[in-house]
Every structure is written in C-alpha cells, then in structure tokens.
Amino acid sequence: MSAPFRLAQGGRIDRARPLGFTFDGKSYSGFAGDTLASALLSHGVHLTGRSFKYHRPRGILSAGADEPNALVGVGRDQTRYTPNLRAPQVELYDGLVAESQNRWPSLSFDIGAVNDLFGRFLPAGFYYKTFMWPRKAWDHVYEPKIRAMAGLGRAPTAADADRYTQRYAHCDVLVVGAGPAGLAAALAASAGGASVMLCDDQAEFGGSLLSETTATIDGKPAAQWIADTVATLRGRANVMLLGRTQAFGYYPHNSIGLVERLTDHLATPHPDMPRERLWTLRAREVVICAGALERPMVFPENDRPGIMLAGAARTYANRYGVKAGSRAVLFTAQDEGYRAALDLARAGVHVAAIADLRPNPDGELPAAARAAGLNIMAGTTVTGTRGRLRVSGATLGRLGLDGQVGQSQTIACDLLLMSGGMTPSVHLFSQSKGKLRFDETIKAYVPGQSAERERSAGACRGIFGLAAAIEDGFARGEEVAQAVGRAGGAVTRVAVTTLAAAPGVHLGAAPHDRDAATVKAFVDYQNDVTAKDLALATREGFRSIEHIKRYTTTGMATDQGKMSNMNALGIVADALRRDIPEIGLTTFRPPYTPVTFGAFAGTSRGQLFDPVRQTAIHGWAADHGAAFEDVGLWKRAHYFPQGGEDMHAAVARECKAVRAAVGIFDASTLGKIEIVGPDAAEFMNRMYTNAWTKLESGRCRYGVMLREDGFVMDDGVVGRMAHDRFHVTTTTGGAPRVLAHMEDYLQTEWPDLDVWLTSTTEQWAVIAVQGPNARKVLEPLVEDIDISAAAMPHMSVRQGRICGVPTRLFRVSFTGELGFEVNVPADYGRAVWEAIYQAGLAHGITPYGTETMHVLRAEKGYIIVGQETDGTAVPDDVGLGWAVGKAKKDFVGKRSLARAEFSKPDRKQMVGLRTRDPHDVLEEGAQIVANPNQPVPMTVLGQVTSSYFSAVLDHSIAIAMVRGGRARIGETLYVPMPDRVIAVTVVDPVFFDREGVRLDA
Amino acid sequence: MQRFSGLDLFLRALGRHQTWKPQWREPEPKAAYDAVIVGGGGHGLGAAYYLAKEFGLRNIAVLEKGWIGGGNTGRNTTIIRSNYLFDESAALYDHAVKLWEGLSQELNYNVMFSQRGVLMLAHNIHDIQSFKRHVHANRVNGVDNEWLTPEQVKEFCPALNVGPNMRYPILGGALQRRGGTARHDAVAWGYARAADALGVDIIQNCEVTAINRDAQGRVSGVETTRGPIRTTKVGVSAAGHTSVLMQMAGLRMPLESYPLQALVSEPVKPAFNCVVMSNTIHAYISQSDKGEMVIGAGTDAYTSYSQRGALHIATHTLDAICELVPMFRRLRMLRKWGGIVDVTPDRSPILAKLPVPGLYVNCGWGTGGFKATPGAGHLLAWTMAKDEPHPINAPFTLERFRDGRLIDEAAAAAVAH
C-alpha cells in the first residue's frame, strides 16, 4: 500500500527496509526507523484514539512522551499484549499489530460519543453531585456503568510470557538525555576519564537535533555532529551509552531509577532476551538534560484529528520524512512555531496562514517566513475549527487593540499546528526535592535551589536556543568532571548557525469570541478537561491547584500533565486573578513516563519470588515422602505420610511412635545465635527475663525474651557452652528479628558491653531424637560423652563427637519425652541423620514433622510464641511467670511488666479445654463465651489458640487464652460456632505426664 | 447549602453552569471560637461536621496549614473494612463502616462508597490460623467476615492466580463483603461542604504555631500564622504532625512517623472486581472507578517526614502484585507517591481527651486511618462536646501506654494495610 504522505526524500528512516503492520485490522506499510505514529501519518491516518470521557475522535498530537491522544494496544499475541502505549513512542517492526482503544463498535463510529452530545450535563465533578438515589443503585447500576465507561485500554487477559531483568550500577556522572545539551555535557564530563553514563529514552541519540535539518554545528549539519559526537563517546572506555532508556525516578542520595527497553522494537526477539531492564543507579553527580516540551494552544475545538503541535509536525517531516497534511495553518504565540511552518513549506505542504497571537512578530524566524512568502497574520487568534474525524478548517479572528476579536475568516486546512511556548522538563529535578522557581520572562518553572548533587543543563532549565544549550551542556559537563576530580580541561567549543527564536510567553486560553460557557477548549486532552471545567472549579470555591487537579482531573491523564499543566495554571490564575506562583504547583511524581510492573518485579517470580531455605536434611525428607509447609523462607517437613495416609492418620501414627518408642525430627530451622565475650552473661541478663549468671557451663535454660512493652517476643533453649559463651536458640520465624533486636540494644544502648553476636542458624544441623528409646539410639553413636541419666540430666549440653563428627549435644525436650537435640555442622547433617535413623530402626524410630511436633508439645502444654501469644501476652499470661527473674535489677521489658494492667486477675490466661465429645476438635481461633445465648456483640472471654486430636490420649485437646482462666478451671464455657455451640470444660493446659517423669527418664 | 441532585445538575446545565456557588466559604479567622479543630483532613472536617450537626456547636473552626484533604486523606489507597481482631478495634472500625454506608446521602455528596468486598489472602498455616481467628471473633462481634477456600477465592476474584506455581500459594482468604473503597477527596470535600453549611469556618493556609494555656493550665487558644484565636476546646487531628503540635502543649506523644507509598497503574477497563490484601507477601490492590489499579506498598524501615518512599519498597510490592495477578505484569506504573503515617506502639489510634483540660486528640491511625474517617470524626466530636469519650473510643486513651491496656492489632496484621 502506497503512503501518499511520505516525502520523496529525507528523514532518518531506512527506505531500503520496508515494514508491514496493521492498525485496527487494516494493513499499512512503513520503514525501519518509523514509529507507529509516523507510519500512520504517512498514510494520512490521524484518527487514532477516543478521549476518556466524551469519546471525541482524536488524532496524533505530539511526537513523544507527552502524547495524550494516540494511545494504542500492541500485542504480538495474548501473552504479550500491552494497552495504552503512545503511538509516537512505539517503534515500528515488521508484523506489528496495533489496535485503538476505548471505542465501540469502531474508532470512526463510537457509540460512546453520545457523551459528547450530553457533555453539558457532565461537567467537571458531576459524579460527586448525583448518582446518590436510590441508595442501592450506586452499587448495582451507576458504579458498574461508570466503571465500564471508564478505563482506556483493556488489561491483558493472559499471564505475561516475557521476562525482565534488573541491574545495579554506579558511576561518577549520569547524564540524563542525549539531546544537544546532553551530548555536550557527556563529552565534557568524560574528557578527563570520569565514568559517565548517558541515557536517552529514544532509539537514537540526538533528541531535538534529530528533527533539525537546517542548523549547522561545528560547520557541519546537525546530523553529522550527532554521529561524530556519539562516535567519540562510544570510543571512550569510561563512557556507557544507554539508548531506549528512560530515567524515570529520582530517589534520595542520587539514586536514579532507569528502565531500558530491550525487545519491544524487534520483530522476532530472541526468546532468551528479557523485555526490559530496570537499573538502580547511584551517581556521584547528575546532569539533567531533559529538554523542554512544547505547549499546545487552548482554543475552541482544539482537539480534532489533524490538530498537532508544531514541533511534532516538524519532527514528522524532518526526522521521518512524513508530511502530516497537505494544507496547514499554524497558530502560534512564539517564534519557535515558525520553524515548523518553514520546514513544512519546504517539504511541499501548503501553509495557508500563520496566525500569530502576538501583535508584532519580528524575530529572525518570522522574517524568514515572510521572505518565504508565508502569510503571517499577526495579532490573530483561532476561535474555532471544523471537521469531525479530521480537521477541515480553522476560523481565524483578528484581535483588536482592546484584545477583543474583530473580523474573522475561516480557512480550509487539514492540518492545524499549535505552538504556545516551551515548558522546561523539570520533572526529575523536582523529584529530587529541588525547589522550583517561576521565571516570569519565559512564563515557566525552572530549577532553583538544588537538594541533591545535581544540575540541569539546556532547555530543561530554560536555556533555549541551540547554541546556548550546547554551551550550557559543555559548561555543566566541565563542572561535574571537576566535581568528581576528573577534570579534562576546557572542551573545544563549537560554532552553531541557526535562526534564533524569541521565547513565547503565552499561557492559558487564547482569546475568542465564542460563548465561553459552552465551547470546548481542551486543556487536558485525554481526560477531556476544558477551560470551562477549570473555570467551574474556581467558581465552586476550589483555589489550590491541587484541589483543581483532583476536582477536574486535569493533569491526571497518562501523560501526567505534560501537555496540560502549564495551561491549566494559566487559566486558573486568570480566573482567580492571581499570579501563577500563588496558585501553587502540583507535585511532580515518579515515574516520568509509565514503567512496566514486570520491570520492577524483575526475576522475582514464581519459585524465585523469595529465596527458599532448605535444611541439610531436606533431601532425605523429600525422598521419604514428606509433605512440606512454608515457615518464613523455610520449607519444613510437615508430616511423613505412609501408604496413602492423610495428615491426621500420619500424625496419629507419628505421635504414638514418639511416645511409645522414639521419633526423629529435623529441628535445623530453629534460629541460633552464638553470644560470646566477657560480658556475655550480662548481656543475656539484660535481654532475657531469666537469670543467667549462675547457670553453669554445660547446663541449659529455657529463656523468655520480651519486647520493651513487656510482651513475649520470643523464646528458646539456651545452652551455656563456657563462661563467656552461650548457644541461644530462637523460634524459626523469629531468628532475624531477635538478632536485630539484640544488635539494636547492643549497638545503641549498651556499646560498653564486650560481647559479639553471630547468627549460626545455617551452621548447625539439628536432629531431635525424642522418645523413651532416644538414649538407646544415640548411645552407640556418641563418642566421649556420657549420656547416661546420671551424667547428663535433662537441660544439659555436652560437646564431643557423634558418628565421628563434632557435636553440641543438648538434652532437651519439646515433646515431654526423654530427648536429645544433636547439633552437628550442617555439612554433616544428612549423614548423621541417616546414621541415627539406621541405628534407630532397631528401636522403632519414626521420622515426624512439624504437625506432630505441635501436637506433642500441646499435650504437654508447651507454648508456641506466635500461636498462644499474639503480641499481647506477658509471661504470666502464658504460665511463664516462673521464668521472670524477680531479683533481677533490669531486663528489656521489666519496667513495662510493672504496669497495673498486667497484674489484673481478669487478664487472658493460658488454660486447657476439653470437649464433652472427645472427638470434637475445636477450631483454632474459635471464640469462648460464658453465655452462648447472649446477643451479638457478645462478651468474649477468650479464644482457642491450639487444638488437635490427641491419638495418644484418644481425645481432643485444646489450649486457650481465657479471661481469668486459671481461676475458671473446672468451669463449663462455650464455643459458639456458626451452626452450633460446643460446651467445653476448662482444665489445666498440661494434658500428658503432668509430673514430668518422662523427661527425666 | 445548595442541594446536589441529578435534577439540580440538569437545571444548572441548562443554565450553562453559571450559577454554582462555592462548595465552602473562604472565611477570615475570627478572634474566638467555641471550639477549634486543628487539621483539615477527613477526620478533622468530619469532627467539625458532627460537632455542628449532632452537638449543636456552630461557632467552630477547622484550621488547615495547607489545603484540606491534602495529607493522608488524599494519599491513601481508599480501602475500607472493619474485620479487625480485637473487640475494641472491631467496634471502632465498624462504627465507621456503618457511617460510610449512608455517608453520600448524609452529606449530599457522592463519596462513591463501593462495597465490593475486601479479601485478605492466606499463604501459610499461620495465616490460616490468624484469619480464622479473625472470622470467629468478628462473627460474635457482629462484623461480617467469612473464610473462603482457594476455589472460593478464585470464584470471588477471578483475576487471582490460585495455582500451585507460586512461591507462597494462596491457601484461602478472609472476605468482608461490606468492605470496599471510597473516593478519598470527595470525603474531605463532602464534609467540608456540609460543615460549612452548618456555619463551620474552614480556614486553609493557616498553620497553628502554638497552643495557649491559662494560669490553671486549661487550653485558652491557639496562635496561628493568621493571628491568635481564642478558644477553650482544641481538637488536634493532624496525623504525623500531631507530635509537633502536642509538644506545644507540653505533651510528648508515643508516635513515630514513617513514609508509606502507594501507586497507580494506567487506567484500563474493569479487570479487578474487589479489594485484595496480602500481608504475607506485602501487597494490596483494587481498581478505581477510573480504571487505575490502586496499589499499596509498605512503610520504609526508618522514620521520616519525607513524602516519598524508597524505590526498593515499591519494587517489592510490585513483584508481589505480579505474582498474585500475572496478567498485570505488563501494566505500567503511572504515578507513585508517599504519605506520612503516624504509628503508635500498639498500632491502634489515640482518640481521647488529654490531661490538659480542653485538649483532645485523634491520631496514631498508622496505615489504617482512611477507613475510619467518619467514625473518627464522629467520636472526636462526641468526646469534645461531652468532655468524655464515647464507649467506643473509651479504650483508645493515651494512658493505655502507661497502664499497659494495649490494643495490639500489629500482632494480627504485621504489615501496612
């Protein structure tokens, strides 16, 4: 298919590489180097989108990131569909499939456009004022309808098949933006050897220079200067060039987020290539060379397809070899707009008129336009346009001396160009928390006081004009080279020839003679916010620009106000008769342009979402059919089903085996901290409620740790290995928290203590051998330790060897049985486990998992921190009052324990519960009341914290926290369930071997 | 007050919208008021409204140092629910939910309260235990909350990935059907407009610089950047800046302030029908009426008044979102912002009269203040008007940190929500 609007020559496209693509099912052609927008324009296609609210037909407005209208969905297939892409930023590849959005049934005939007819009933904020009656209709009628109307593109419906990656990097200097100022800054910054990274969001470096065909730099065409400069930079080993890379966010201490697009421009990306790469960069110095954005003009019906920014039309002509129309009118308030008129005229577009809002345009560019024979109408505004799916004419009105519109005429055109002024891109600067300053001469905000080691160069700080921007780039580049101690001397300056432009100073709505209360003059195109919406908001009392933004939604479209913000400020300032700085400025929030979620997620997906921690014995458990559960990052063996057992059957069998013979359990996940030093015992005294000074080496103690507020934080058995050395264990989930808590105190409160903390969780494999036969199993395997009852009592620890491997052997029990915990270096864990298991087979050894461990400890009334406690229990509540050293001078949480509330008799206390029906197993978390017949909300006495069926006891057991529980032992209480009430008897929480004789066997 | 309605909108549209009046006045501060609320967020404006509406105090002012609704009211993820664990909390938040249910009509301002259901996901056995305890506790408290199996989770929220290929597969969820979202700005504006109509002066750009006390120690007024104001009742509802204000009255508050981030995607057609929260993998998400996915991240690890959070916090939230809804991986972050949350040691608010006579406070809502807006406003108004707490906020004293009668929801929900 021929492209009638493609120029015969020129542009940076590769005419030798034609590409085919489809838009809304229709086939088109383009060239390598095209964007979707330029290729569509080459076929005369302007209509590419529908607006958010009124569904007005919209065309391509810009040639970059500020595009609010031409949003498309692009997808290679359903697993690679991306909505809301800006057509001017979509690089064309062969076979690209794009579709328009937010229209039904088609882009040219959209039923939703009925909203436009009723637009007067849908002013800004209308939804706050209606849809309130009848009340239920909001849920079932209004909101679903509003939601269906809202939104732009459709979300992908299949999981994303692409991959993403991330990199961290640092450099001396980051230069953001590779336009004229950025290239110059990078040249100067890198001249002395500083490491420099230069990023630009476009495929090619050069920025605005890529659209420049007449200027010369250093005596050569701009394109040649770009090529030479990029070659120079590429030749420097200390320079890294990142194309297709957007610096999207400025974070504290010169941390910058960048996103690099790797495959979206390729027809057939290699399947192993990630789609995008997220860079987290730390730069010593940052030079922002983000350029400036052209402002549109706000005038009635300024949104028809074919109405475009002047600079964009110039880019399409010069860079892509496409004329955006045949017959153009330019509406401008600044000299810069004339460049487009001149270049388009040169490309063969008939420029029917230049309406210049200024009474006396007299700069070099207007002079050149006059010389070229263009029809300049000074002091002229545009009061309206014609056309529906494409602009067909513009009405131009002469402004009298009083500012009123006088004589007007309508000029036919298929292209209406706008140029209201230039707005420096201060987004990154503002994100860095730098203070902005309003510059009255250019009527725009520019960087003021910096907050970070950052500087701006060129148009983004209001330095307009090619020569000035390049010079500013050189100067800032030299500064940062100096700042990082890598000055390379002055860079040889270049001569620049181009026509100078006087800055535009127009902001806000252009004058017109239409009824301001009814005409639509768009400010935020995508969100359909008009000048009259802004006026309405001010009429309704909204004064701050933040309020006006939120009420009208101006600046909240996907371009985040790039196209609209300054004009909105101008209109609001006019309406309120205040200066612009008094109106305030909405915050520039990251990201500069939208960033794919997947890039943030990176490789953190599926099983790689979090590290998986496995014990040394994991493989053995897996080989023996264990079911695993997630506990923090750990995979723990939950139970070991045999022969098709379900969990309950397996757990019943495992429990009985432990009580009757012996069980083996992998306790390696328990947190372990080695506390060493002359002040180790003192440190322990301060961290734990218990007293440690008198604990002998070789003995263990159950330790309780409190938070500062007196509530139980963690627990675990601690062995004293030597006078100055403790082997501390913590809960599995609590290990990092406990170590951080200890370090916090050690480093900030007690730096005088001579003690070191080392996490040893990963160093030790821990094999629990529990049950009446435990000693028989271990005895033959242990060397040089006497593990007889007399020599090694309950709660002791010995060092020696087992199976030829060094061990710390604890005699401890979390089951209530005779028990040992064999600590061996993790590398030997599996071998020792297997040896113990083999030796145990003769004694009926049975591997068990965490579920059996839970049942066995519950039978004994041992708590699990985080299950019986929930952050609101003090030691006495859970029966651990004995573990609090009464004579101790101080420990973390001691002062809090003295609070009145904690000695009240009606506190929730740990008790046991028995159900009438021994097979009734209560649900954990179920609530306990005295009177189940009371109305809701009930007075609740407590809750079930642990509940199991005990196969050993042949009845259910439960632990509960009950108000005044210990005084209620023997009472009947009730557990109200949705379908019935379960009566329970309050009992002592120790269900098995209350005297503890088995422990000491 | 001009009454909003569809008919009114229609008639004014015919009049080309020229007749709309300011939604609230721009009064100059008077020399004296019967009561002053410091802080023009939803909570403070709500308190002013209820003081005027229910308790007949009309000569009152709301002082806001910036623009109303510009703090946490306008920076949150708009989630509303009341399925809290402890009886005191459930009563507090359910009081708010009940007010939310009629708020648009009460204020004649559509706050778009949308009861689409809040689903909290369980990813491990501990989560299951915890959420089931919530479900049971809520049931006997009269708060709706139900347990869903993974299949029921999928049925309720089809966009979720409930497959076994996740690192932490979804093992079920607790659903509060009455929970949902509301339009945050509209809440501030609705209260402001209704309060203004009852005579309340809403004074923006007016920062309080001192709290004055008389010889007996009673509150006697405030100093502001727009001059002194005499009053005998001051209600402070200033979120993270409450500590600063209270220091002016000689009170040290147990508050820490952290940056908390949120973000939205570009808008898309309806693709996510409810609110989903996952404490375990640190993410929550809903889709706004406009079509944006509204996503909440966690707090930064350090205290700060900087209204921006660290990049890696947002990164960690988005990887969780991509796991929960893999088809959202190609959606794009449009806007990210930070708020400052004021956190108490037990993660429950302080809503109480203070030891300084005439001084009342509403603060410490941490990450959960938006959902409480109408309830907090109402209870602060009650407490100021009667000089004693309502039974619902009676447990939420400042003294509880000294006495130890804490209401520790942190135990139940370890992350921001």
Side-chain angles (χ1 to χ4, degrees), chain B residues 26-344:
Chain B
E26 247 186 310
E28 285 301 313
K30 289 193 260 182
Y33 289 98
D34 294 341
V36 162
I37 309 275
V38 183
H43 288 214
L45 293 164
Y49 168 74
Y50 291 112
L51 271 175
K53 174 86 187 312
E54 278 194 23
F55 304 100
L57 259 72
R58 300 288 168 97
N59 182 32
I60 57 181
V62 177
L63 309 183
E64 166 55 48
K65 75 170 180 172
W67 37 281
I68 60 168
N72 290 344
T73 298
R75 294 170 183 276
N76 62 83
T77 50
T78 79
I79 296 171
I80 293 162
R81 64 183 182 91
S82 63
N83 52 349
Y84 278 70
L85 180 59
F86 292 108
D87 304 340
E88 299 90 338
S89 315
L92 180 67
Y93 289 99
D94 212 50
H95 182 60
V97 168
K98 285 175 187 147
L99 290 172
W100 276 116
E101 283 171 334
L103 196 60
S104 291
Q105 290 71 27
E106 165 91 22
L107 300 179
N108 179 233
Y109 210 96
N110 192 347
V111 300
M112 304 183 191
F113 180 43
S114 170
Q115 292 177 294
R116 282 174 295 145
V118 175
L119 177 60
M120 302 169 79
L121 299 176
H123 298 271
N124 56 43
I125 292 169
H126 186 263
D127 284 351
I128 295 174
Q129 290 168 334
S130 168
F131 289 154
K132 286 196 169 173
R133 180 178 167 197
H134 278 72
V135 168
H136 286 299
N138 290 153
R139 178 165 42 79
V140 297
N141 268 321
V143 174
D144 75 304
N145 195 8
E146 59 198 275
W147 175 255
L148 302 189
T149 63
E151 296 72 34
Q152 290 169 320
V153 165
K154 180 75 181 171
E155 195 180 338
F156 186 74
C157 184
L160 286 175
N161 170 24
V162 299
N165 55 336
M166 285 175 78
R167 173 71 176 82
Y168 302 113
I170 294 171
L171 303 180
L175 170 64
Q176 183 175 29
R177 293 184 191 271
R178 284 162 69 232
T181 57
R183 174 87 184 105
H184 53 11
D185 293 325
V187 180
W189 301 338
Y191 273 123
R193 172 169 165 271
D196 176 88
L198 295 170
V200 174
D201 281 357
I202 294 161
I203 303 165
Q204 304 186 73
N205 300 309
C206 178
E207 184 172 357
V208 171
T209 54
I211 295 174
N212 298 330
R213 296 166 69 177
D214 64 17
Q216 287 74 46
R218 287 190 49 90
V219 164
S220 61
V222 293
E223 300 289 330
T224 79
T225 48
R226 294 174 65 175
I229 295 173
R230 278 179 282 115
T231 186
T232 55
K233 279 179 193 277
V234 172
V236 175
S237 186
H241 296 282
T242 301
S243 335
V244 181
L245 284 159
M246 284 305 165
Q247 257 164 12
M248 298 171 188
L251 282 176
R252 203 173 144 213
M253 300 298 286
L255 293 175
E256 286 185 333
S257 294
Y258 295 90
L260 177 72
Q261 294 180 77
L263 60 98
V264 295
S265 74
E266 293 179 302
V268 286
K269 294 292 176 190
F272 203 81
N273 60 338
C274 60
V275 183
V276 165
M277 309 172 55
S278 170
N279 287 350
T280 298
I281 63 172
H282 300 204
Y284 43 109
I285 176 170
S286 65
Q287 186 171 16
S288 72
D289 283 347
K290 195 180 173 197
E292 297 162 333
M293 298 299 160
V294 183
I295 292 168
T299 51
D300 279 8
Y302 51 86
T303 56
S304 165
Y305 280 108
S306 159
Q307 285 179 328
R308 62 173 170 173
L311 177 59
H312 70 271
I313 301 277
T315 297
H316 181 46
T317 293
L318 285 171
D319 64 9
I321 294 294
C322 290
E323 282 302 282
L324 292 176
V325 198
M327 59 204 185
F328 287 175
R329 201 173 281 271
R330 287 181 102 86
L331 291 186
R332 303 193 299 171
M333 180 208 283
L334 176 62
R335 185 168 67 243
K336 181 160 81 71
W337 65 93
I340 304 300
V341 295
D342 45 322
V343 176
T344 64

Side-chain angles (χ1 to χ4, degrees), chain A residues 707-752:
Chain A
R707 303 190 314 213
E708 207 165 30
D709 56 13
F711 296 115
V712 176
M713 173 177 171
D714 206 79
D715 68 348
V717 169
V718 178
R720 190 163 197 175
M721 309 311 299
H723 182 70
D724 61 351
R725 179 177 294 265
F726 290 84
H727 177 124
V728 172
T729 67
T730 74
T731 57
T732 295
R737 191 164 57 233
V738 169
L739 183 62
H741 177 73
M742 287 180 169
E743 283 286 4
D744 187 14
Y745 274 95
L746 185 57
Q747 293 179 27
T748 65
E749 303 293 325
W750 313 314
D752 52 312

Side-chain angles (χ1 to χ4, degrees), chain A residues 33-322:
Chain A
D34 260 327
T35 65
L36 178 61
S38 66
L40 283 169
L41 288 173
S42 77
H43 292 273
V45 176
H46 277 257
L47 175 65
T48 41
R50 289 274 172 172
S51 63
F52 191 88
K53 184 160 127 187
Y54 299 137
H55 288 246
R56 283 172 71 95
R58 290 285 169 76
I60 296 160
L61 192 60
S62 95
D66 49 345
E67 175 61 51
N69 288 341
L71 303 187
V72 296
V74 175
R76 300 178 199 274
D77 54 54
Q78 282 311 305
T79 65
R80 290 184 169 85
Y81 180 83
T82 314
N84 297 337
L85 296 176
R86 301 157 163 92
Q89 289 191 304
V90 174
E91 290 181 54
L92 201 64
Y93 58 80
D94 197 42
L96 182 138
V97 177
E99 65 178 28
S100 61
Q101 308 184 144
N102 199 35
R103 79 289 183 266
W104 187 85
S106 75
L107 188 55
S108 53
F109 179 75
D110 176 11
I111 295 287
V114 71
N115 284 3
D116 195 26
L117 296 176
F118 295 104
R120 76 152 47 178
F121 303 106
L122 312 172
F126 73 96
Y127 30 74
Y128 298 125
K129 297 171 178 167
T130 180
F131 305 136
M132 287 180 279
W133 189 89
R135 208 179 105 184
K136 280 285 156 200
W138 172 253
D139 295 338
H140 303 293
V141 183
Y142 301 128
E143 192 186 33
K145 288 260 184 285
I146 289 172
R147 293 174 83 86
M149 290 294 287
L152 289 166
R154 61 180 174 87
T157 50
D160 185 1
D162 275 322
R163 301 195 158 273
Y164 301 84
T165 184
Q166 296 178 340
R167 259 190 85 173
Y168 294 82
H170 59 87
C171 59
D172 289 329
V173 179
L174 170 69
V175 180
V176 177
L183 287 172
L187 266 183
S190 62
S195 66
V196 173
M197 293 176 79
L198 172 64
C199 71
D200 193 281
D201 72 316
Q202 302 215 29
E204 284 190 280
F205 283 1
S208 61
L209 284 180
L210 297 170
S211 308
E212 187 57 69
T213 50
T214 47
T216 70
I217 306 171
D218 208 9
K220 49 198 170 192
Q224 190 58 48
W225 185 77
I226 299 172
D228 293 350
T229 304
V230 170
T232 303
L233 290 170
R234 218 177 277 290
R236 289 182 180 168
N238 54 322
V239 177
M240 186 172 193
L241 302 179
L242 287 170
R244 297 191 176 91
T245 302
Q246 178 70 58
F248 66 83
Y250 207 125
Y251 295 90
H253 309 296
N254 268 7
S255 174
I256 318 288
L258 315 177
V259 66
E260 182 182 7
R261 304 184 308 278
L262 299 168
T263 61
D264 269 6
H265 60 291
L266 300 174
T268 49
H270 190 282
D272 291 343
M273 278 285 283
R275 179 177 175 231
E276 293 178 5
R277 178 182 291 132
L278 185 87
W279 292 76
T280 305
L281 193 69
R282 190 81 68 177
R284 292 173 68 188
E285 300 284 337
V286 174
V287 187
I288 301 172
C289 305
L293 294 168
E294 193 171 20
R295 286 197 294 273
M297 300 291 279
V298 179
F299 57 90
E301 298 120 12
N302 60 342
D303 68 325
R304 303 195 194 283
I307 299 179
M308 186 183 268
L309 292 175
R314 182 165 178 255
T315 290
Y316 288 118
N318 293 348
R319 182 170 170 189
Y320 299 102
V322 171

